[in-house]
Amino acid sequence: MRLTRAIAATWATTLVFGLGHAAMPVDSEASSWGGEVRRRVAITIDDLPTVSRNFTSAADRDRLTTTLVGAVVRHHVPAIGFVNEGKLYRGGTLDERDVDLLRQWTRAGLELGNHTYSHADLHTVDADTYLNDIARGDNVTRRVMAEVGRTPHFFRHPFLHTGRALAVRARVDSLLAGRGYRVAPVTIDNSDYLFAAAYDDALARRDSAEAKRVATQYVAYMDTVFGFDEAQSRTIVGREIPQVLLIHASFLNAQMFDALAKMMERRGYAFASLEEVLSDSAYKSADTYVGPAGITWLHRWALTRGMPGATFAGEPEVPPDIMAHAAR
Ligand SMILES: [Zn+2]
């Protein structure tokens, strides 16, 4: 989730009166490869099995998954999908068709993680409710992964809301560790869901010209988001770290994953697993952020270290027509 204007204003004030710049340790690992920038990114895909506001039939869910997984595999991306298991039940009964959607991921060699059962928001439910939602969020995922000899190892907080108090964060972290989970951070966040809503609307109206226009704008927007977060990384960490991209299991991303992957490849990225990316020392940085926003880990580290507000200027905007379209 992006910052709201109000939160951003509060944030800038905090930063202006912060403690000033404190550089982070720089890895000795080379950031260039044959004279060219060599970048790495882990692709994380949230809200599995599928998320669409217009296309929700079993056939739609299957088509979305087949298209998305197919494109991910074609580009040899070791992606991870984060599951909301509540979506696998219809009228209280587990829908085996949806379990098969998860199997499309695992049988393609892709990893699955826990995104809570019901997409719970830690900033609106009490900690006990949230912990229960994590605990009941991986029954099917564990079974489906066991079929291919694997277990889930990563947890993604819905809305990137990690708690409003350090004590709450510690309780959640402790439960996660006990269940063998590590928190999946995000360094490249974006508003893909707004473009996805506009795209789905255009498809529902059978306006293919508009759908194509939205999709083209989306890839251009994501290109600028990458440029922004690469610069953020240089400013905050002192170098470009291996990044973690968050996108959603939407029709837009299913249809446009090929174009997104090509955009990343053009920027010099190689695809890496989440585990590989998190082995970079930057991900050991302290994070004591307990503010209201679902912000990236780059920004959490910066806030934890009291870095200046100028760091955060220039975040790419979603075009107004996409915002208007998504709000319908
Ligand atoms: Zn989510």
Side-chain angles (χ1 to χ4, degrees):
M1 295 289 138
R2 312 304 281 169
L3 290 170
T4 64
R5 201 172 291 271
I7 293 167
T10 314
W11 202 28
T13 306
T14 308
L15 289 163
V16 165
F17 296 104
L19 299 173
H21 187 284
M24 292 193 162
V26 176
D27 255 11
S28 56
E29 183 188 338
S31 61
S32 64
W33 185 269
E36 291 176 15
V37 176
R38 185 67 173 172
R39 295 165 163 153
R40 284 188 297 161
V41 63
I43 309 296
T44 70
I45 305 178
D46 282 14
D47 299 6
L48 263 58
T50 66
V51 55
S52 168
R53 81 177 183 189
N54 299 88
F55 303 100
T56 55
S57 72
D60 288 331
R61 300 198 301 276
D62 185 60
R63 187 160 62 96
L64 193 161
T65 303
T66 305
T67 308
L68 180 57
V69 170
V72 165
V73 168
R74 264 198 311 284
H75 283 272
H76 308 288
V77 179
I80 178 168
F82 286 95
V83 182
N84 297 128
E85 289 202 1
K87 291 179 171 181
L88 309 174
Y89 293 81
R90 287 170 214 288
T93 305
L94 184 63
D95 189 333
E96 286 297 330
R97 293 173 301 185
D98 284 285
V99 180
D100 281 339
L101 298 182
L102 298 184
R103 288 194 178 100
Q104 287 197 41
W105 288 74
T106 54
R107 286 176 182 168
L110 303 172
E111 193 170 0
L112 297 175
N114 187 334
H115 193 37
T116 75
Y117 180 86
S118 69
H119 209 269
D121 181 351
L122 184 52
H123 292 182
T124 60
V125 301
D126 64 62
D128 288 327
T129 304
Y130 194 78
L131 296 176
N132 280 332
D133 220 56
I134 295 172
R136 69 191 290 229
D138 65 10
N139 295 319
V140 180
T141 303
R142 280 189 190 278
R143 176 153 62 83
V144 168
M145 288 189 77
E147 290 168 2
V148 294
R150 301 179 76 169
T151 49
H153 289 303
F154 287 105
F155 173 78
R156 164 72 44 76
H157 295 83
F159 312 102
L160 305 184
H161 284 173
T162 54
R164 300 303 317 278
L166 289 176
V168 171
R169 284 188 57 164
R171 275 191 73 193
V172 172
D173 287 348
S174 163
L175 178 96
L176 290 174
R179 295 180 72 88
Y181 283 116
R182 180 171 181 188
V183 170
V186 175
T187 60
I188 304 183
D189 191 19
N190 57 84
S191 298
D192 72 327
Y193 59 97
L194 295 176
F195 288 88
Y199 186 74
D200 280 1
D201 266 8
L203 289 181
R205 287 185 284 104
R206 300 183 185 283
D207 186 346
S208 58
E210 173 67 3
K212 192 173 174 191
R213 198 184 64 79
V214 171
T216 304
Q217 274 187 293
Y218 171 57
V219 177
Y221 159 82
M222 291 296 272
D223 201 9
T224 64
V225 167
F226 268 79
F228 173 74
D229 286 314
E230 287 155 8
Q232 293 286 288
S233 176
R234 292 191 296 271
T235 305
I236 295 167
V237 186
R239 64 187 168 90
E240 284 198 31
I241 63 168
Q243 302 270 8
V244 181
L245 172 69
L246 162 60
I247 56 175
H248 293 86
S250 62
F251 258 113
L252 175 64
N253 283 319
Q255 296 290 339
M256 298 310 291
F257 191 84
D258 184 65
L260 279 180
K262 285 178 176 150
M263 176 274 284
M264 290 181 254
E265 286 159 357
R266 261 199 316 277
R267 298 190 74 88
Y269 280 96
F271 301 112
S273 71
L274 185 55
E275 186 166 10
E276 286 166 337
V277 163
L278 298 192
S279 69
D280 187 280
S281 63
Y283 290 93
K284 294 192 182 77
S285 306
D287 164 21
T288 55
Y289 178 73
V290 287
I295 57 176
T296 74
W297 267 248
L298 283 168
H299 293 159
R300 288 160 193 266
W301 301 332
L303 287 168
T304 299
R305 300 175 77 92
M307 292 180 75
T311 303
F312 302 92
E315 187 168 35
E317 301 272 353
V318 175
D321 62 310
I322 299 290
M323 296 283 280
H325 211 121
R328 276 182 202 170

